[in-house]
Amino acid sequence: MRRRKLLSVSAEGFFLAYQMSVIHSSIAVFKIKKEEFIVWKKADIPTSAQRLQREGYSKLTALVMANAGVENKEQAEEFLHSETVHDPAKIRNIEKVSEIIWDHIYRKEKICVFGDYDCDGVTSAAILYLMLKRLGADVMARLPDRIYEGYGISMEAIREEIALGTKLFITVDNGIKAIAEIEEIRRQGCKSIVLDHHQPGEVLPDADALVDLWIEGETYPFHELTGSGLAWKVACYMLTLVDDYDYAMELVDLAAFGTIADVAPLIGENRSIVKRALRKMRSCWYKREGVKALYDGPLDRITAENIAFKIAPCINASGRLDVRGADLPLLLLLEDRPEIAEFLAERLTDCNNRRKSIQKEWCGRMEETALKMIEQGDKVLVLLADGAPSGVVGLVAGNLKEKYNRPTIVFAPKQDSSGKTVWTGSGRSIKGFHLLNALKTCEDFFLAYGGHELAAGMSIPENEEVLSQLRTRLNQVAEYLSETDLMPMTYWDTEITEAELTNSLYEELKSLEPFGEGVKKPVFKMRMHLLPKRHMLMGADKSHLKLFCENYSAVGFSLADKYIRSELPEVIDALGYPCENCFNGKVKQEFMLVDFEPVTENE
């Protein structure tokens, strides 16, 4: 472990850390007695890495695969080369799903696909809508309004759609816990199909057909599909029945968007879905006009990281901020006229820029309160962003968690359709603090809650005393967290020299794509010798940094302030990874900085 003291600076001097889910851990700053430290640590190497090297794989390739859970040569070859997908007929109840849908198509009865307001839910709905249209169904798609309706299908939505003639409801990316809502559909004389990938509760909805790969006894060999992945498998099954498998393959890009955006592990069939999608999108035959209008980079070089950081945030943005906002990205994904797609993409991009601005503003507003709580000894931050859109509180919580390395929950007021105000919150946690288990000890405060180890959502009454008591109890639960637990670690995987930053290294990394959840891009440690007095500050607020070396350049998001405070060093120890920068039709090889430390003359 390595610890280096930095020049003292006020907390306001730090810029927000750029969210990089493609690396082991993002930059974090730990404040101890008004001094700041950054801790670097070499990541543990799985024992399988040496075994894979003995099988003939390079040190880097073996390391990446071992970190992704690959144990032997057979798994390695699948990881590197396979695009295999399983037969959807193996999914339990999929035949029943098909029979119910075909029955409603033949009867010309209206079908309502009910998705969700996030990227996975939007792409799930798009896949089923396009598939059903292809099969001649009378179909419409509806997404919940995040602001007034909240997650999942609601009683009000059911009544509205039945009034419009719906006879079959298909919920996708939701529904597994909609017990009362599914019962209401049955009571109204309609049928329902639930397609979900969330963990089921003790009681299952009484749908006419139910598919959730986490239900005990499932026969499908891969359980990690997202809502869009599951929707795609249903589309593959039904379109194959009419010898239209090629059109099913046309929908794989939408499945990949949801898979990546929902942070599903890029292993097994998920990896195959993303590989197929990237190959399709890089071809000259790619026809999705909405995506072509939305993505501002060269599609022939698109990666999973581009989808994660450029496409998915735009698809999510309007649903976070606007009433019925998720309809906009759905319309974009369904649009096949280039001029209309350009118009919709421009609106969505503007919305995402507005989201970024709001997120940054509220992170700044919350920092002073967060620092006061830390000074008071809080190990869990529980804050109210009074006036913030409820759709951005999870992003703000994530930013503050990264900055202070503490579990963080941010609440915002939210009115439902009846006009009642509650405080809805979203939490992000650190390794070693199981957020959902902690919330279970506080369930008497919540109107509703749910989540998992590192992220959760909840709502409480509009009551400052309840908020204060929740803060107290969560910090009592977190008493076991030590100073070491709260000290952020920036992990690196392997050390190289500048001379080893070669074309072959870039090509080897490209051969290991796609990177994402479960398949982390390796972080390199490298001593960099910079050209004297050659650096550039980038971005609207000049918070980003570009450094120049003899044969390459390096870019560091949100690192300009640190470089200036370090007095513009000419030699640094850097953590980061090689990457390609495509700009104005030109491709440049760069080194993406995760963190750096100045090197003194004596080192």
Side-chain angles (χ1 to χ4, degrees), residues 164-221:
L164 293 172
T166 293
K167 296 298 182 182
L168 170 62
F169 289 85
I170 305 176
T171 72
V172 59
D173 196 33
N174 71 90
I176 194 63
K177 293 188 177 180
I179 311 300
E181 290 81 2
I182 298 301
E183 178 57 35
E184 176 65 14
I185 291 172
R186 182 179 294 277
R187 195 180 69 80
Q188 293 287 344
C190 298
K191 292 197 173 184
S192 63
I193 295 171
V194 172
L195 307 174
D196 205 352
H197 72 112
H198 296 97
Q199 290 286 344
E202 294 182 3
V203 178
L204 297 176
D206 188 21
D208 294 280
L210 173 62
V211 176
D212 187 320
L213 303 182
W214 294 107
I215 295 175
E216 187 175 352
E218 176 58 51
T219 53
Y220 197 65

Side-chain angles (χ1 to χ4, degrees), residues 498 526-530 547-549 552-554 570-574 591 593 599:
E498 287 178 297
M526 181 176 71
R527 179 155 294 185
M528 294 175 52
H529 298 81
L530 314 177
L547 300 174
F548 298 89
C549 303
Y552 66 97
S553 60
E570 294 182 6
V571 181
I572 61 174
D573 282 339
F591 190 80
L593 291 172
V599 176

Side-chain angles (χ1 to χ4, degrees), residues 58 134 238 247 303 335 364 407 424 500 520 533 588 594:
S58 73
R134 185 80 168 186
M238 295 199 64
Y247 186 72
T303 67
E335 184 56 61
T424 61
E500 294 174 288
K520 301 299 186 182
K533 299 181 181 179
K588 292 184 178 180
V594 174

Side-chain angles (χ1 to χ4, degrees), residues 63 80 302 331 347:
L63 176 63
L80 292 171
I302 194 168
L331 289 172
R347 286 188 58 192

Side-chain angles (χ1 to χ4, degrees), residues 343-360:
F343 172 75
L344 295 173
E346 185 176 345
R347 286 188 58 192
L348 207 53
T349 300
D350 289 343
C351 188
N352 191 46
N353 290 333
R354 181 158 53 97
R355 185 272 305 167
K356 290 179 187 177
S357 178
I358 293 170
Q359 180 182 344
K360 183 175 181 179

Side-chain angles (χ1 to χ4, degrees), residues 544-572:
H544 309 316
L545 176 68
K546 187 167 186 176
L547 300 174
F548 298 89
C549 303
E550 189 67 36
N551 297 311
Y552 66 97
S553 60
V555 173
F557 289 100
S558 302
L559 288 177
D561 187 56
K562 179 176 179 178
Y563 187 69
I564 293 170
R565 289 186 289 106
S566 301
E567 300 180 346
L568 313 181
E570 294 182 6
V571 181
I572 61 174

